[in-house]
Amino acid sequence: MMGASSGEDKEGVGRLRAMTRMLSAVIVTLLLGVAASAGDEAAAPTKLVYRLTTEAGREPSGDEGRTVVDVLARRFRAAGIEGIEITRSKTVGELTVAVPAALAPKLDAIRGLIERAGTLEFRICATHEETRIQRVLRTRTDSLRPRELLEYLWVPASDGAPDVLVLTPERVARAALEEFIAKQTVPDPAATARARKRYEDVVRDEVFTGDQLDSVSVRSATWGHVVYFGFKEDRKQPFAEFTARHVGEAVAIIIDGKVHSTPNIRSKLPGEGIIEGGGEGFTEQEAKDIAAVLGSGSIPGRLVRVVAPETK
């Protein structure tokens, strides 16, 4: 009896050990499967889908779509971000930006680079007295003459401060040209050419934008970081004359439709200058982001995200 009982016990122990090994193998397999699944999920990129919208509300062209891809690629390179894939959809004006999982901590910064229009304008600020008067009249548009509606433009400040009133002489010149052409009962090509030349002179002398820049970089200063800019050769002299003509006046530096600073022009600038930023100035990262955007060109419209980021 003892022998039989011992044999049965040994057989039972063997079966128990075999079941334990089998159960362990199943658990290990399940754990490996979960780990593999988690690894696959972690490796999947975050996809951001955007649609290009134009100011006129028309359907964007194929050339504009290609321009957007080129501009974004330059921005990422300038910001030192690698590994992002940009693909155009079959839907006109739509594109997908695939951000690798390794860049997930930088997702907000990447979205900022994508969604900024990248526009830059230099506008002379209205005087304190002009601003005071226009601020009073702002709520009484019926009191404004048509010229005043064209001569000034209110631009929001980037830091939430009150809007800044800037001058827009090219709008006045454009309106004068259109009025001159409309009043002609008999076409006068020579007179029209002279009127058009007056408008073009105003644009040449008073309108300076980011697409005219030749170089943009970040430089350190005692109070923080600044963005250095230099104009293309054909715009250096006009900009120098522009600053000489407006010495003592404030110039609004407008980035993506918002005023970042309004420094006074102290002296003639030789076709270059710096953007200091308002308040305490730019942090190094802010300066780098602005330089990356301004130095890569502007987007021909606005990129609107059509779906939330998702991982597939």
Side-chain angles (χ1 to χ4, degrees), residues 16-294:
L16 181 60
R17 287 176 177 172
M19 290 178 64
T20 301
R21 286 194 297 269
M22 185 180 299
L23 182 60
S24 297
V26 170
I27 292 174
V28 169
T29 301
L30 289 173
L31 289 175
L32 288 174
V34 170
S37 175
D40 290 343
E41 184 177 350
T46 297
K47 295 183 178 180
L48 306 173
V49 181
Y50 287 90
R51 180 174 294 118
L52 176 65
T53 60
T54 63
E55 292 183 1
R58 58 174 173 74
E59 187 176 87
S61 66
D63 287 341
E64 289 172 326
R66 284 187 288 273
T67 296
V68 170
V69 174
D70 292 341
V71 167
L72 292 183
R74 288 196 296 270
R75 287 183 183 181
F76 294 141
R77 284 197 299 270
I81 298 175
E82 300 179 353
I84 293 180
E85 293 185 3
I86 309 170
T87 56
R88 294 172 60 195
S89 171
K90 292 182 179 179
T91 302
V92 178
E94 190 171 287
L95 57 87
T96 299
V97 180
V99 182
L103 295 178
K106 296 183 177 181
L107 189 59
D108 287 343
I110 290 170
R111 284 184 53 192
L113 289 173
I114 296 171
E115 295 170 11
R116 297 186 71 158
T119 59
L120 170 67
E121 295 178 86
F122 297 87
R123 294 279 185 185
I124 295 299
C125 297
T127 65
H128 292 301
E129 181 63 15
E130 287 174 319
T131 300
R132 185 189 67 78
I133 293 172
Q134 294 302 317
R135 199 177 296 281
V136 172
L137 296 176
R138 193 176 186 184
T139 57
R140 299 161 49 194
T141 53
D142 58 323
S143 302
L144 297 178
R145 299 186 302 275
R147 180 182 175 84
E148 289 177 310
L149 294 173
L150 293 172
E151 187 176 2
Y152 302 108
L153 180 68
W154 290 99
V155 183
S158 62
D159 58 1
D163 293 355
V164 178
L165 186 66
V166 300
L167 305 184
T168 54
E170 80 284 1
R171 297 202 303 175
V172 177
R174 180 69 184 181
L177 171 62
E178 292 174 349
E179 183 180 5
F180 176 82
I181 294 174
K183 286 183 175 180
Q184 286 187 358
T185 54
V186 178
D188 186 341
T192 300
R194 289 193 296 270
R196 190 176 301 280
K197 176 68 165 50
R198 288 193 291 272
Y199 163 70
E200 292 172 350
D201 287 346
V202 172
V203 173
R204 181 199 64 211
D205 296 339
E206 297 289 333
V207 178
F208 296 89
T209 56
D211 59 346
Q212 300 169 8
L213 298 182
D214 180 54
S215 59
V216 182
S217 60
V218 176
R219 297 185 180 181
S220 58
T222 55
W223 61 91
H225 292 81
V226 300
V227 177
Y228 163 84
F229 64 88
F231 279 93
K232 295 177 181 177
E233 199 60 40
D234 64 328
R235 295 300 288 160
K236 284 184 177 180
Q237 187 59 31
F239 186 73
E241 294 173 356
F242 167 79
T243 55
R245 191 164 53 251
H246 293 289
V247 166
E249 299 179 60
V251 59
I253 299 177
I254 306 170
I255 302 175
D256 291 338
K258 293 186 177 181
V259 176
H260 277 252
S261 61
T262 55
N264 285 326
I265 301 175
R266 300 190 185 97
S267 61
K268 177 180 178 180
L269 298 175
E272 58 186 35
I274 60 172
I275 302 174
E276 299 179 349
E280 299 179 354
F282 298 124
T283 65
E284 182 178 9
Q285 190 58 54
E286 287 173 337
K288 285 182 177 179
D289 289 346
I290 290 174
V293 171
L294 296 183

